[in-house]
Amino acid sequence: MNTETIRVYGADWCRDCRRTKQQLTELEVPFEYVDLENDPAAAERAREISGRTNIPVVVYPDGTHHVDPSNPRVEEKLRALSVI
């Protein structure tokens, strides 16, 4: 994984995953999307990162992560990282 890139673990059927992807796209923040439906092993990686089965799991370049974050939480983190 490129440690300078945000990684989003999610699934297309997940409304919150689609919302987070849309937010990052609208803010023009580069991110890598890992589709858990196409990569079942990634679901285990996401669970290991978060300790939970909830998605999306958003992993930031500084090694921190959010699980099923609200748009304001994502934006706050992006500002703290000086990404936006």
Side-chain angles (χ1 to χ4, degrees), residues 1 7 18 23 26-27 30 34 38 58 61 64 67-68 78:
M1 171 180 153
R7 180 176 277 187
R18 293 192 308 266
Q23 178 186 22
E26 289 175 357
L27 292 172
V34 181
N38 291 330
V58 183
T64 63
V67 180
D68 190 15
L78 296 175

Side-chain angles (χ1 to χ4, degrees), residues 4-46:
E4 298 302 313
T5 303
I6 294 168
R7 180 176 277 187
V8 178
Y9 292 89
D12 290 340
W13 51 260
C14 169
R15 180 177 39 197
D16 293 325
C17 299
R18 293 192 308 266
R19 176 183 44 78
T20 299
K21 284 173 45 180
Q22 180 179 353
Q23 178 186 22
L24 294 171
T25 299
E26 289 175 357
L27 292 172
E28 298 181 354
V29 174
F31 67 97
E32 178 183 352
Y33 181 68
V34 181
D35 186 340
L36 302 181
E37 292 288 302
N38 291 330
D39 184 356
E44 180 61 25
R45 286 195 303 275

Side-chain angles (χ1 to χ4, degrees), residues 31-72:
F31 67 97
E32 178 183 352
Y33 181 68
V34 181
D35 186 340
L36 302 181
E37 292 288 302
N38 291 330
D39 184 356
E44 180 61 25
R45 286 195 303 275
R47 189 186 63 73
E48 288 171 0
I49 292 165
S50 69
R52 299 167 56 186
T53 57
N54 303 65
I55 54 175
V57 176
V58 183
V59 182
Y60 299 97
D62 66 356
T64 63
H65 69 276
H66 280 139
V67 180
D68 190 15
S70 66
N71 283 4

